[in-house]
Amino acid sequence: MAEAERIIGTPDIPDAEGADGAEPQRPSEGTEPPRGDAKGAGPARGDAEGAEPAEGGPATGDAATGDAATGGDAAVGGRRRKKILVLLCVAVLAYLLDLVSKTIVVAELEHRAPVEIFGDWLKLEVIRNAGAAFSFGEAYTVIFTAIASVVIIVIIRLARKLYSLPWAIALGLLLGGALGNLTDRIFRAPSMFQGAVVDFISPAHFAVFNLADSAIVCGGFLVVILSFKGLDPDGTVHKD
């Protein structure tokens, strides 16, 4: 019997079962076993790769650079829009003053004796001018109409890079005056695009003109002054 037991052998009993033969505890279903083993628990997620910034926190790196560039572009665009708004306001004011004044003098003073403002030094006298400012070139009405249209287009194109307040005022005066006289040339007699401009301000020993002519002359003088000072429409200053 002892020899038989020696040949068959006695089965080994696992150490984990313990002396009383109890089975090892197993994790309950749905419970995740703890990470890490005998080699040591691994670092928490995010520690090795770097913690992600909290939502709403300050941007860093390329994101911060992009935000700064976007903010700078927005500031520059805001400055340009303000100057364009000034240009439009000046142009609209000059145009409306010219239009209203012409409407009043045509209704009240045309075909009547001149009205003396300061004796013979300044009178209100309505005349129809088919030429340019100050009754120049009356035989070239269509040409002056085309020139006024080109001036308006050039001013609109310059407005895209406008960052100077004085230039905004100057271009606004030019635009309003050009639109005022162009309106006369398009809609007044004798025909479309050949209409005569209404002039009514008559100083002594000087040509008769209107408020649109005054706006054009003032805007032109301001442009000359700004050019002599080296100030460009984009706000830069150059010295020759």
Side-chain angles (χ1 to χ4, degrees):
M1 188 65 179
E3 185 65 22
E5 289 179 356
R6 185 182 65 80
I7 295 173
I8 295 174
T10 304
D12 296 333
I13 298 175
D15 296 337
E17 293 180 359
D20 55 357
E23 294 183 1
Q25 293 184 352
R26 297 179 181 179
S28 60
E29 185 176 355
T31 302
E32 185 177 356
R35 297 185 179 182
D37 48 15
K39 296 180 181 180
R45 183 175 180 268
D47 292 339
E49 299 177 357
E52 297 180 0
E55 184 176 355
T60 57
D62 295 339
T65 304
D67 292 343
T70 303
D73 293 341
V76 171
R79 286 176 50 207
R80 182 172 63 86
R81 284 192 292 269
K82 289 180 180 179
K83 302 306 182 292
I84 293 176
L85 181 61
V86 171
L87 186 155
L88 293 177
C89 290
V90 173
V92 170
L93 179 61
Y95 177 76
L96 290 179
L97 288 175
D98 178 69
L99 182 63
V100 171
S101 63
K102 289 174 179 175
T103 302
I104 293 174
V105 298
V106 167
E108 301 295 334
L109 301 179
E110 194 170 24
H111 308 303
R112 297 182 183 180
V115 176
E116 295 183 354
I117 303 299
F118 295 108
D120 292 335
W121 291 99
L122 181 62
K123 299 178 181 180
L124 297 181
E125 181 181 6
V126 178
I127 66 169
R128 299 293 182 121
N129 175 20
F134 309 114
S135 302
F136 173 77
E138 295 186 2
Y140 303 99
T141 305
V142 176
I143 295 177
F144 291 124
T145 302
I147 292 175
S149 302
V150 171
V151 168
I152 293 172
I153 294 174
V154 171
I155 292 174
I156 294 174
R157 290 178 62 87
L158 282 176
R160 296 185 302 176
K161 56 178 182 179
L162 184 63
Y163 296 95
S164 169
L165 180 59
W167 270 98
I169 296 173
L171 294 178
L173 290 171
L174 290 173
L175 180 59
L179 286 173
N181 284 339
L182 184 61
T183 300
D184 284 356
R185 299 189 188 281
I186 294 176
F187 298 106
R188 292 193 186 275
S191 62
M192 184 171 289
F193 296 104
Q194 295 185 0
V197 175
V198 175
D199 290 333
F200 59 92
I201 303 174
S202 179
H205 313 296
F206 199 72
V208 184
F209 59 96
N210 55 41
L211 295 183
D213 297 333
S214 301
I216 292 173
V217 171
C218 292
F221 273 125
L222 185 54
V223 168
V224 171
I225 293 173
L226 294 174
S227 299
F228 271 117
K229 294 181 67 174
L231 180 61
D232 293 334
D234 61 359
T236 59
V237 179
H238 67 274
K239 295 182 179 180
D240 297 333

